[in-house]
Amino acid sequence: MPKPKSIPLVPIPTSCFDENHLPSVLHQPNPMTPEAERQARRRTCRFIEEAGGQRCLRLPRVAIATATVFFHRFYAKHAFQEHDRFEVAMACLLLAGKTEESPKKLDLVIRECWKLRRKAQQQQNKLVSSGGDSPNVGGMSPNNIMSSPSSSTGGDLQMKPDEFKRLKERVLLLERVILHTIGFELSIDHPFKFLIDCAQGLSKKRLLEYNPTKKAKLVGKDGQPLGKQQQNNQLVQELAQNAISFANDSLHTSLCLQFGAQQIAMACVYLSGTHAGIGPIAGKTWLDLLEGIGVEELTSISVQILELVQSNRRGVDSGQFRAIRKDLDAMMM
């Protein structure tokens, strides 16, 4: 299969995606390792999530997800060494706000993102001066918080007028570069709708159930065991909530470059179920219930999400992870 000349309008097949051939890894004279490339993506995705969240720009969740996909697609064709990743993140947030009908003024985007970076640097400077360990604030390592040439080392959170003007021009230019890079493909499918539909459909058909250990622990406020309808209501709620959490985690990886939104959604439903003690009814397997995904795709997506969550130490029981990996290995046999 010939190598595509531009970002395709459909996800890159797994067989065509190779992180060893990403622009940042091949860049000369200072190539990044695949691990460093992954970390740069994860840290900047965390920055996008925080900048777009309720404490800063207050963008809807779908706009933050769209900005993240724009970011991943941009750096599938450009190297991190060529463009400041936080300025690209600003441009992605600006463009995603317009795309998802939640536009934010350019001045607001720049100021909120700038303050987020400056606060992170100030916290790091305080720890360094006090002899403490360097933090990882907002998913950003100290060595990557203020890598832009425009960054100053002053203690305040305000930019000089001329500096603000130059940054504003760069972000506007990057917005146009991003548009050309993604082929003006602004309609982005996300896993959220697919996983909600899947969870509700499986619950309605009564194709899922709690395992015996989990079922024995299901009691109401009165201490009495839950009835079948109450169990089913709790099952679909728990399944959907956990799946959404895994889908949010997936945005911090390059999965959106490798698989379609529906495939990622199906893997998130699988991870949610196995994590919550939910499984198919007797005589059925997860592969029987999940539409549009095979065992290889399910395994690849699940493993990449699990590796991310484990690296973040999000408090998930490692024993559960081992059980999920064992289940995935059994599927592959």
Side-chain angles (χ1 to χ4, degrees):
M1 181 181 295
K3 185 177 180 180
K5 296 182 179 180
S6 61
I7 291 292
L9 302 187
V10 296
I12 303 172
T14 308
S15 59
C16 294
F17 183 86
D18 183 357
E19 62 179 5
N20 292 299
H21 289 83
L22 288 171
S24 301
V25 179
L26 297 177
H27 188 271
Q28 294 297 332
N30 55 332
M32 298 175 72
T33 64
E35 173 62 24
E37 207 274 351
R38 284 196 301 273
Q39 289 300 320
R41 285 181 185 272
R42 292 176 183 180
R43 289 166 180 159
T44 319
C45 287
R46 180 61 179 166
F47 174 83
I48 291 173
E49 185 175 308
E50 291 194 9
Q54 292 303 306
R55 293 184 179 182
C56 295
L57 294 174
R58 299 184 179 182
L59 287 169
R61 183 66 216 176
V62 66
I64 297 174
T66 296
T68 307
V69 173
F70 288 162
F71 172 80
H72 283 302
R73 291 187 176 184
F74 180 83
Y75 280 111
K77 301 299 292 183
H78 297 276
F80 282 106
Q81 299 91 329
E82 297 171 348
H83 302 279
D84 182 276
R85 58 194 173 97
F86 293 109
E87 292 180 3
V88 172
M90 293 181 201
C92 288
L93 285 164
L94 180 68
L95 181 58
K98 299 174 184 177
T99 302
E100 301 299 342
E101 300 181 352
S102 304
K104 300 294 180 180
K105 292 183 178 180
L106 174 60
D107 286 14
L108 177 64
V109 172
I110 291 177
R111 292 189 188 282
E112 289 298 324
C113 290
W114 170 270
K115 285 191 292 185
L116 183 61
R117 293 179 68 186
R118 294 290 290 132
K119 287 178 181 178
Q121 187 196 33
Q122 288 180 357
Q123 183 176 346
Q124 190 267 335
N125 288 340
K126 288 180 181 178
L127 284 176
V128 171
S129 62
S130 63
D133 293 333
S134 298
N136 187 332
V137 182
M140 298 174 283
S141 70
N143 293 331
N144 292 285
I145 293 173
M146 300 294 291
S147 58
S148 170
S150 65
S151 302
S152 65
T153 58
D156 61 81
L157 297 177
Q158 301 298 323
M159 277 182 288
K160 297 178 181 178
D162 57 337
E163 188 173 14
F164 180 84
K165 181 180 178 181
R166 291 195 298 271
L167 180 55
K168 188 173 180 178
E169 291 172 350
R170 289 197 301 275
V171 172
L172 285 174
L173 176 60
L174 279 169
E175 183 185 30
R176 294 195 293 271
V177 176
I178 291 168
L179 278 169
H180 284 279
T181 300
I182 66 177
F184 292 87
E185 180 59 29
L186 300 176
S187 179
I188 306 295
D189 285 331
H190 296 295
F192 306 111
K193 179 182 183 300
F194 295 108
L195 64 85
I196 294 295
D197 290 344
C198 178
Q200 292 177 342
L202 293 176
S203 173
K204 185 176 181 180
K205 296 175 183 178
R206 298 294 196 274
L207 293 174
L208 293 174
E209 62 183 2
Y210 283 108
N211 62 40
T213 302
K214 181 67 176 287
K215 189 180 295 185
K217 298 178 181 179
L218 298 177
V219 295
K221 295 181 179 179
D222 56 1
Q224 298 299 314
L226 296 180
K228 289 186 177 180
Q229 185 58 47
Q230 290 175 306
Q231 285 187 25
N232 194 61
N233 291 342
Q234 181 170 322
L235 183 148
V236 68
Q237 181 178 5
E238 191 171 3
L239 186 68
Q241 287 180 345
N242 287 334
I244 289 173
S245 179
F246 282 117
N248 287 332
D249 288 329
S250 76
L251 290 170
H252 293 199
T253 73
S254 60
L255 283 170
C256 64
L257 302 177
Q258 306 173 51
F259 302 96
Q262 184 174 3
Q263 290 176 307
I264 297 173
M266 296 302 102
C268 291
V269 170
Y270 164 77
L271 288 172
S272 173
T274 51
H275 172 62
I278 299 170
I281 59 175
K284 296 287 186 179
T285 68
W286 278 109
L287 290 175
D288 295 329
L289 305 185
L290 302 176
E291 298 180 0
I293 190 169
V295 62
E296 291 184 359
E297 292 83 4
L298 177 62
T299 301
S300 179
I301 297 171
S302 299
V303 167
Q304 290 184 62
I305 294 176
L306 290 177
E307 288 177 346
L308 173 74
V309 177
Q310 281 185 306
S311 68
N312 289 344
R313 297 180 180 179
R314 298 277 294 275
V316 181
D317 184 4
S318 60
Q320 289 180 317
F321 277 168
R322 288 193 294 269
I324 294 174
R325 289 299 298 265
K326 184 177 179 180
D327 187 52
L328 290 168
D329 291 340
M331 289 186 194
M332 293 290 289
M333 293 181 180

